[in-house]
Amino acid sequence: MPIGATVAAGAGMHARTKEFLRYLSQNPGVRNMIAAPDDRSVVYAAAFLSSQWRNQLAAATGKPSGNRTRAMWEELERLKSADRARNDFVMLPDILKELPSPPGADIGVTTMYGHLEVLDRLEPWNVNGFIAWRAVSGIYASNARGRVRFCVGEIGAGPDGKADWRGSKVIAATEMWVLLRNREVDEETRSMAEYLIDCVRSKNPKINVALT
């Protein structure tokens, strides 16, 4: 089952997280729905912390970014709301908010996105929320077709100046590797995935790239 990355149960994984992974594994129809239309997938992480890179994104998309630093998902939501014709990408949360919650979800939680928010609050996060998001993100990346858009900013570095992308960002832990193996995406997408993998391996905290 192409969850996209090995997401084996680890110490501290909650029974609800295991059940969600089992649900994905046993329901190919659900996995098939975790997909954007051709040429409209987008993967993203972190934020553009410097005005230089916010301005680059604004130039690429035709919309000013303003002065406030936003998380990348927030910036993309703003761009999409401002000009849906130009920014026609379909983010993973957009899809998950349209899918019903799996069996066993909390009362009042009606979407898969809402269920993931519940799993995201379980401790330890790295073997619960992080693994659950890696699973759906890997499926999303494996279902991508054609051109994929990228917006990756920068994260904080440790005392040695290095950044742990793979331990904290789904794009680094899963999506890039899945896209690199996905033969249905275009060559530019695979080249960008390969470049990002090199950045992650070198633990560069300031990737700052936008391909929109």
Side-chain angles (χ1 to χ4, degrees):
M1 185 276 290
I3 280 185
T6 301
V7 288
M13 181 177 283
H14 197 281
R16 301 189 71 181
T17 305
K18 295 176 185 177
E19 182 58 34
F20 180 64
L21 298 180
R22 190 177 304 115
Y23 170 75
L24 293 175
S25 177
Q26 295 175 350
N27 289 275
V30 173
R31 299 198 304 272
N32 289 339
M33 290 189 288
I34 304 176
D38 292 1
D39 301 314
R40 293 173 63 187
S41 300
V42 58
V43 294
Y44 52 91
F48 287 140
L49 301 181
S50 68
S51 59
Q52 172 190 353
W53 294 104
R54 292 202 303 273
N55 291 339
Q56 179 188 10
L57 180 61
T61 57
K63 292 292 177 181
S65 178
N67 294 322
R68 186 170 71 86
T69 298
R70 297 177 175 88
M72 201 64 70
W73 67 266
E74 188 180 12
E75 183 68 25
L76 291 172
E77 287 280 12
R78 186 190 69 82
L79 291 169
K80 185 169 57 175
S81 298
D83 189 345
R84 291 185 180 274
R86 181 168 184 170
N87 303 304
D88 63 346
F89 46 80
V90 180
M91 299 164 67
L92 175 58
D94 298 334
I95 297 166
L96 299 177
K97 289 174 183 177
E98 297 297 323
L99 296 180
S101 57
D106 288 351
I107 295 174
V109 175
T110 60
T111 68
M112 187 177 290
Y113 182 81
H115 186 62
L116 278 157
E117 287 189 308
V118 173
L119 298 181
D120 212 31
R121 293 193 290 269
L122 298 176
E123 297 291 343
W125 172 79
N126 66 307
V127 293
N128 288 289
F130 190 43
I131 291 295
W133 276 106
R134 284 184 61 189
V136 293
S137 297
I139 295 168
Y140 174 82
S142 70
N143 286 336
R145 301 291 182 269
R147 175 173 173 258
V148 177
R149 302 171 216 201
F150 293 81
C151 285
V152 183
E154 55 190 277
I155 63 173
D160 60 355
K162 303 293 185 179
D164 180 20
W165 285 93
R166 294 189 71 175
S168 61
K169 300 298 179 184
V170 168
I171 190 173
T174 299
E175 287 172 325
M176 297 181 309
W177 309 87
V178 176
L179 288 172
L180 188 62
R181 298 193 303 267
N182 184 345
R183 309 316 297 176
E184 299 298 327
V185 299
D186 65 14
E187 190 59 38
E188 185 177 33
T189 295
R190 284 195 296 274
S191 294
M192 179 60 74
E194 193 168 33
Y195 168 73
L196 291 173
I197 286 170
D198 287 342
C199 291
V200 167
R201 282 174 169 161
S202 68
K203 299 186 176 182
N204 177 8
K206 297 182 179 182
I207 294 180
N208 287 328
V209 64
L211 178 61
T212 59

